[in-house]
Amino acid sequence: MEKNTHQFQTEVRQLLDIVIHAFYSDREVFVRELVSNASDALEKLRLRQLTESAVHEPERDLRISITTDEEAHTLCIQDAGIGMTQDEVVEYLGTIAHSGTKKFLEAMKESQGGAQDLIGQFGVGFYSVFMAADKVEVTTRSWQPEAKAVKWTSDGQEGYELEEAPADTPRGTSILIHLKEDAQIFSRAEHVRYVLNKYSNFVGFPIDFNGEHLNTVQAIWMKNKKDVTAEEYEGFFKFISHSEEAPLTHMHFSADAPIVLNALLYVPTENPEAMGFGRCEPEVSLYCRKVLIDSKPEKLLPEWLRFLVGVVDSEDLPLNISREMLQDNSLLRKISGIITNRFIKHLEGLAKTEPESYEKFWATFSRYIKEGVVTSWEHKAQLGKLLRFQSTFTEEGKLTSLADYVGRMKENQKDIYVLYGPNRSQLEHSPYLDALKARGFEVLFLMDGGDQFVMDALMKFDDKDIKSIDRADLELPEVADATPDAPCLEAAEAEGLATWVGDTFKDRFSKVSTSDRVTSAPAIALQGAGDVAPEVRAYLKAMGQEVPESHPEIAFNPRNPVVMKLAELRKTDTELATLLADQLVNTALLRAGMLEDPSTLAENSQQLLEKLLAR
C-alpha cells in the first residue's frame, strides 16, 4: 500500500483544537491516557484469546513497553494488545464513528460551561497526545493472522498519512511521539517515570520502562480479602502513605450495586493535624480499573474523613479524557455515601471486637468523629454510637459509650445528663452534681472544648434527650429529703432572701430562688432558658463576634450556714449582706464559667474582708 494522505473530518479538526487548547490543566495526563488505552488493548486481546483459536503471535507477552529518547526528543508507548486493521485505524483515528467526537461537539454547543464540563464523558482520550506532540506515528498490527500492519502519521493539523508498515511489525500498537519544543521534558526518563508512578502504577499489565519493570506493587484493593495477607496490607499502606509505621486499622470491601466499587481504606497511627501541620488534605485516591483518575479528589469523602489514606476504584466512572474534572456529581455523591456508611460500620465493628484498638483510634481521631456529628446531618445518628466520654460511673481515664450509658439508666430517668468543663477534677467537685447524685443518675463528663457544639447537634440518642445539668430548665423527679431535721430556712425567709438578692442586683439575674438542686455549695448559677452556653460564648468572643447578654439564674442552698447567716444579715447589716451576697453569686458564676470579669471577685473579696475585720 502506497502512502496516502487523508483529511480529518471537520468535527475531528474541531476536537483537536479543543483538546490542544482547552481540555487539560496539566499536560502530563496524555501519558496516562495512552497507557490506559494500551491496557485496554491488552485486556481486549486477553478476552479474545479465550474465544479465538487463531491469534497472531499467541506466545507474545501481554505487556506495555515505554521508552524515552532525550536526544531525539521522543517518547514511545507500545503494547502487545489487540492492535488495529487499516479500516479500524481510519475508523478510530480519523473519523467520528467510534470516538464520540460528534456527540461531544453537539453537547458542548448546548453546554454553558464549555469543554471542561463535558470532557470525560466521551471517548476522545487519544487526541490528548497532540498537547505535547509535533508529530505522532502510530504503527499497529491486528490480532488477526491475515491482517497487514499499518502506519498512521499526523501532526494534528489538517489530516493524516496512511501507509503499510513493515511485514515484521509485531502484534499490538506502537505510538511514537515527536515532542514539541516546550514539551521535551517528556523525553526525560526521570520525569516520565514520575508521571507513570503517579498515574499508572497499578495498571493490570506489566509496564517496562527503558528496560526496567516499573509497576511492581500490586493493586491489592481489586483482590478478594481472603487472598490478601496481613503483610501485604501493611506493605501497601507503607507504599501509598510513604510511612514506616503500620496502620491502626484498615477496611477492604467490594460492592456490585448500586455502583461497582472496590475500596481499601486505612487509618494511620498518627493524626497529622495533631502534630502542628495544619489541616491535612485528603489522601484517598480515586481510580477507575486501576488507572488513577485523581490523587486528591474533592468531595469523594466528607471533610471529617480527611484523615483516611487509601484507594477507591469504580469502573462506573468514565475512563476517558480529563479525569481531573469529575463531572458526574450525583455518582460521586453515591460513592461517598457508600464508603462513609461502610466506614462507620467498620468502626462500630472495631469497637465491639477490638475495643483496645478502638480506644487508640478514639484517642487519636475523636475530633474528626465529633466534627462529623456537627457537620454531617445524615450521619450524626450513626456517629453518635461512636462517641466516648468519661462519666461519674467510670474510673478516671475510662470511657463509656452513649449506648452503654442508656443501658444503665434508672427507671425514673428520662434524659441523658451531661456536664461540660475543662477537666475531671473540676467536674467531680461541681455543685451541679448534687441533685443528680441524690437521685443516683449518671452524668457524662464532656471535657473537650467543642463538645458543647457536638451535643447541640446530636440533641438526642436512642430517643433520649441530651440535657446539660447546669440548665435552669432541667426537670428532675422528686427525691426524699435525706436530712429532714437539719437546719433550713423557713419558706418565708427563703422567699424574702431571694427577693432581696434580686432587688439588690437588679437586671443581673433572670431569677433568684432557693433550691434543693444544690447541697454542697452556698449557691449555683444556672443557664437561663434563652442563655448561650459558656463554651459557645467563649467561641464567639474568640472569633470576634457579638456575644449576647447573659441573664443566668441563681439558686441558693437553703441549708447552707452561710446562706442562713446572709438571710439574717440582710435585716441587720445591709452593707455587709450586700458584700457577702456579691461574693456568693460571683463565686457561683465563676464556677459555672459565666463570670465575665473575674477581677470583680477579687475586689469584692478584699472589701468583704475589710468590712469583717472592721466589725
Side-chain angles (χ1 to χ4, degrees):
M1 179 181 71
E2 296 181 359
K3 183 184 295 186
N4 295 312
T5 301
H6 302 259
Q7 293 294 309
F8 283 129
Q9 289 189 346
T10 302
E11 291 87 354
V12 175
R13 289 200 300 270
Q14 293 174 1
L15 173 66
L16 285 168
D17 183 66
I18 295 170
V19 168
I20 295 169
H21 297 104
F23 263 13
Y24 290 96
S25 59
D26 196 331
R27 271 179 164 179
E28 66 189 23
V29 294
F30 86 87
V31 177
R32 177 189 65 188
E33 294 295 339
L34 298 184
V35 173
S36 176
N37 289 346
S39 176
D40 287 346
L42 290 165
E43 180 63 22
K44 289 175 181 177
L45 181 74
R46 187 183 67 80
L47 296 174
R48 181 71 65 177
Q49 288 176 323
L50 299 176
T51 59
E52 298 287 344
S53 58
V55 173
H56 183 63
E57 295 181 317
E59 74 287 349
R60 191 176 183 204
D61 289 342
L62 301 184
R63 60 197 315 113
I64 301 169
S65 298
I66 301 173
T67 55
T68 57
D69 189 330
E70 195 166 348
E71 292 185 4
H73 307 307
T74 60
L75 171 66
C76 185
I77 300 177
Q78 298 176 286
D79 68 72
I82 197 166
M84 290 180 283
T85 63
Q86 178 181 330
D87 291 342
E88 289 171 334
V89 169
V90 173
E91 186 177 27
Y92 287 121
L93 304 185
T95 72
I96 63 171
H98 288 281
S99 68
T101 307
K102 187 172 183 178
K103 290 182 179 179
F104 174 88
L105 294 172
E106 290 173 351
M108 186 177 167
K109 290 178 183 177
E110 299 174 2
S111 171
Q112 298 298 317
Q116 284 79 1
D117 294 330
L118 294 170
I119 52 183
Q121 298 182 22
F122 302 93
V124 292
F126 166 76
Y127 298 118
S128 63
V129 70
F130 287 105
M131 290 189 303
D134 264 337
K135 184 174 71 171
V136 177
E137 299 176 30
V138 179
T139 305
T140 182
R141 181 163 189 163
S142 172
W143 65 275
Q144 302 173 47
E146 298 80 12
K148 294 182 179 180
V150 182
K151 182 178 181 181
W152 179 97
T153 306
S154 177
D155 60 3
Q157 299 298 318
E158 297 297 324
Y160 58 93
E161 293 179 348
L162 202 61
E163 60 185 306
E164 188 174 319
D168 61 352
T169 298
R171 184 199 69 228
T173 300
S174 170
I175 302 175
L176 180 62
I177 305 161
H178 299 267
L179 296 162
K180 295 178 180 179
E181 186 175 350
D182 63 353
Q184 291 177 1
I185 191 173
F186 291 101
S187 66
R188 297 178 187 173
E190 65 274 13
H191 183 70
V192 177
R193 179 191 295 273
Y194 160 78
V195 175
L196 292 170
N197 283 333
K198 179 178 180 181
Y199 290 108
S200 307
N201 212 35
F202 304 109
V203 167
F205 297 93
I207 297 178
D208 294 333
F209 178 63
N210 289 337
E212 175 190 355
H213 185 193
L214 197 63
N215 55 337
T216 56
V217 180
Q218 291 185 321
I220 62 173
W221 69 84
M222 300 297 285
K223 291 185 173 183
N224 191 301
K225 286 190 292 186
K226 62 182 178 61
D227 297 327
V228 184
T229 66
E231 291 75 18
E232 287 177 313
Y233 278 127
E234 182 176 326
F236 186 74
F237 169 76
K238 290 179 178 179
F239 174 78
I240 62 174
S241 66
H242 310 290
S243 170
E244 292 302 318
E245 299 289 334
L248 187 61
T249 182
H250 73 270
M251 178 185 75
H252 184 189
F253 79 91
S254 299
D256 296 323
I259 295 171
V260 178
L261 270 182
N262 290 277
L264 177 54
L265 301 176
Y266 294 91
V267 176
T269 305
E270 301 292 338
N271 173 10
E273 292 185 8
M275 294 184 270
F277 295 142
R279 193 176 182 86
C280 63
E281 294 185 353
E283 294 292 340
V284 177
S285 299
L286 185 61
Y287 283 73
C288 178
R289 303 176 201 166
K290 297 185 284 190
V291 177
L292 180 67
I293 292 177
D294 195 338
S295 60
K296 297 181 184 296
E298 294 183 7
K299 300 180 181 178
L300 173 61
L301 294 177
E303 272 288 301
W304 58 272
L305 282 178
R306 61 187 177 278
F307 61 90
L308 291 178
V309 177
V311 171
V312 174
D313 194 316
S314 174
E315 66 180 59
D316 288 334
L317 290 166
L319 183 60
N320 298 76
I321 200 162
S322 193
R323 296 185 187 90
E324 72 272 64
M325 307 291 291
L326 290 171
Q327 303 308 317
D328 194 345
N329 292 329
S330 63
L331 180 60
L332 205 61
R333 284 195 296 271
K334 290 179 182 177
I335 293 174
S336 178
I338 293 170
I339 297 171
T340 302
N341 288 327
R342 288 280 191 130
F343 185 70
I344 292 174
K345 290 180 180 178
H346 172 76
L347 290 180
E348 288 179 14
L350 188 71
K352 291 178 181 178
T353 60
E354 300 179 45
E356 291 185 3
S357 295
Y358 187 76
E359 286 180 12
K360 292 178 181 178
F361 167 82
W362 182 254
T364 309
F365 298 101
S366 59
R367 289 286 182 93
Y368 298 91
I369 303 301
K370 293 177 181 181
E371 180 183 330
V373 173
V374 175
T375 62
S376 186
W377 179 87
E378 67 272 30
H379 297 114
K380 71 175 183 178
Q382 291 174 278
L383 292 172
K385 300 175 183 178
L386 301 176
L387 297 173
R388 297 292 185 272
F389 303 103
Q390 295 187 49
S391 85
T392 52
F393 282 18
T394 67
E395 298 177 10
E396 184 170 358
K398 298 297 182 180
L399 302 173
T400 185
S401 67
L402 289 172
D404 288 341
Y405 176 101
V406 170
R408 293 190 293 266
M409 286 176 61
K410 304 293 184 181
E411 288 186 8
N412 61 338
Q413 181 181 350
K414 63 178 183 177
D415 299 319
I416 296 170
Y417 300 116
V418 302
L419 181 61
Y420 304 96
N423 54 67
R424 183 178 178 110
S425 176
Q426 182 171 322
L427 292 175
E428 284 181 328
H429 294 89
S430 171
Y432 297 113
L433 292 178
D434 294 348
L436 284 299
K437 288 180 178 178
R439 293 161 175 80
F441 292 165
E442 182 177 7
V443 179
L444 296 174
F445 290 153
L446 278 58
M447 298 175 284
D448 191 323
D451 285 345
Q452 176 78 53
F453 298 96
V454 176
M455 289 309 186
D456 284 350
L458 191 60
M459 294 188 292
K460 291 176 176 286
F461 182 83
D462 196 18
D463 290 328
K464 305 291 191 299
D465 289 334
I466 298 172
K467 297 287 185 69
S468 176
I469 64 172
D470 62 355
R471 301 288 303 186
D473 56 1
L474 184 70
E475 296 181 2
L476 296 172
E478 293 293 331
V479 62
D481 190 347
T483 56
D485 300 326
C488 180
L489 287 177
E490 297 290 337
E493 283 291 307
E495 184 177 349
L497 174 63
T499 301
W500 175 79
V501 172
D503 292 340
T504 302
F505 302 99
K506 198 169 185 63
D507 298 328
R508 190 175 177 188
F509 306 112
S510 60
K511 182 180 179 181
V512 179
S513 64
T514 57
S515 172
D516 63 355
R517 282 184 61 176
V518 54
T519 59
S520 62
I524 56 173
L526 301 166
Q527 291 183 51
D531 281 353
V532 176
E535 292 79 8
V536 179
R537 294 176 63 83
Y539 173 79
L540 294 173
K541 188 174 182 180
M543 296 298 291
Q545 299 182 27
E546 183 179 353
V547 181
E549 287 188 13
S550 176
H551 296 283
E553 295 187 15
I554 294 293
F556 284 99
N557 176 3
R559 298 182 184 280
N560 185 272
V562 177
V563 174
M564 297 176 71
K565 185 64 178 178
L566 175 63
E568 295 178 15
L569 282 174
R570 74 178 181 86
K571 301 174 183 177
T572 60
D573 191 339
T574 304
E575 184 181 357
L576 179 58
T578 300
L579 288 172
L580 178 57
D582 200 23
Q583 181 77 5
L584 294 180
V585 297
N586 281 338
T587 300
L589 290 168
L590 181 68
R591 298 184 74 172
M594 300 181 193
L595 188 63
E596 296 291 341
D597 184 6
S599 66
T600 59
L601 182 62
E603 293 173 4
N604 181 74
S605 298
Q606 182 175 339
Q607 294 175 24
L608 178 61
L609 289 173
E610 290 174 353
K611 180 69 176 175
L612 290 172
L613 291 173
R615 295 188 69 183

